[in-house]
Amino acid sequence: MMIPKDVRESITSPNHEIERRREEFKQYVLKHKPDEIIDKYLLFGTPYIFRDDENLYFELQKEIEDYFGVKRGNVHIVGSSKLGFSISPQKRFRDWTIDSDIDIAIVDFNV
C-alpha cells in the first residue's frame, strides 16, 4: 500500500506533541507512586492514536467488549499507541509510528 506523501512526511517529521507527552510523563514518574502512574497514563484518557477521533476509540472498545463479553471500561489500549511513545525497556521512549502495533489489555476478573 502506498502511503500518501503528506501522511509520510507527517510521520517522519518531529512530533512535538509526542515530545511534550514524553517529558510530562518523565516528570510525573519522578513524583508519583506506581499506582497513580498506571491510573493516569495507562487506564485513563483517550489513547494517542485516537486523539482525533474518540468515537472510533469508543466503537473499538465496544466491539471488543461485546466479542469477549466483558463489562464497559475493562478494555484498554496500552503501550505506544496509548502514550504516543513506548515504555518497553527494549524501546524506551521511542515514538509511536504508523507501523506500531496496538496493544490491547482486557482486565476483567469475571471472564
Side-chain angles (χ1 to χ4, degrees):
M1 180 175 108
M2 185 67 164
I3 300 173
K5 183 180 178 190
D6 61 327
V7 173
R8 198 171 52 248
E9 288 173 356
S10 71
I11 293 166
T12 57
S13 64
N15 189 319
H16 299 293
E17 181 181 355
I18 292 177
E19 290 174 18
R20 180 192 58 76
R21 286 170 166 254
R22 185 174 27 250
E23 290 309 311
E24 180 184 283
F25 176 81
K26 288 178 181 179
Q27 293 305 310
Y28 195 87
V29 166
L30 294 173
K31 299 173 185 172
H32 295 85
K33 297 177 184 176
D35 59 329
E36 294 170 323
I37 298 164
I38 291 167
D39 284 346
K40 180 172 181 168
Y41 285 96
L42 297 181
L43 302 179
F44 177 77
T46 302
Y48 176 78
I49 61 167
F50 293 107
R51 67 196 180 283
D52 296 327
D53 193 347
E54 287 183 324
N55 290 323
L56 188 58
Y57 177 47
F58 176 85
E59 293 302 323
L60 176 64
Q61 280 185 308
K62 179 150 182 27
E63 189 172 324
I64 294 169
E65 290 161 356
D66 291 349
Y67 182 84
F68 287 102
V70 297
K71 294 179 185 174
R72 184 86 190 110
N74 290 347
V75 174
H76 303 279
I77 303 279
V78 296
S80 63
S81 297
K82 169 66 167 113
L83 300 172
F85 56 89
S86 178
I87 55 174
S88 165
Q90 299 83 9
K91 301 182 265 183
R92 183 140 316 129
F93 301 122
R94 188 180 308 164
D95 287 4
W96 176 88
T97 70
I98 196 73
D99 295 319
S100 298
D101 61 0
I102 300 174
D103 299 310
I104 299 174
I106 300 172
V107 183
D108 191 335
F109 297 104
N110 297 314
V111 173

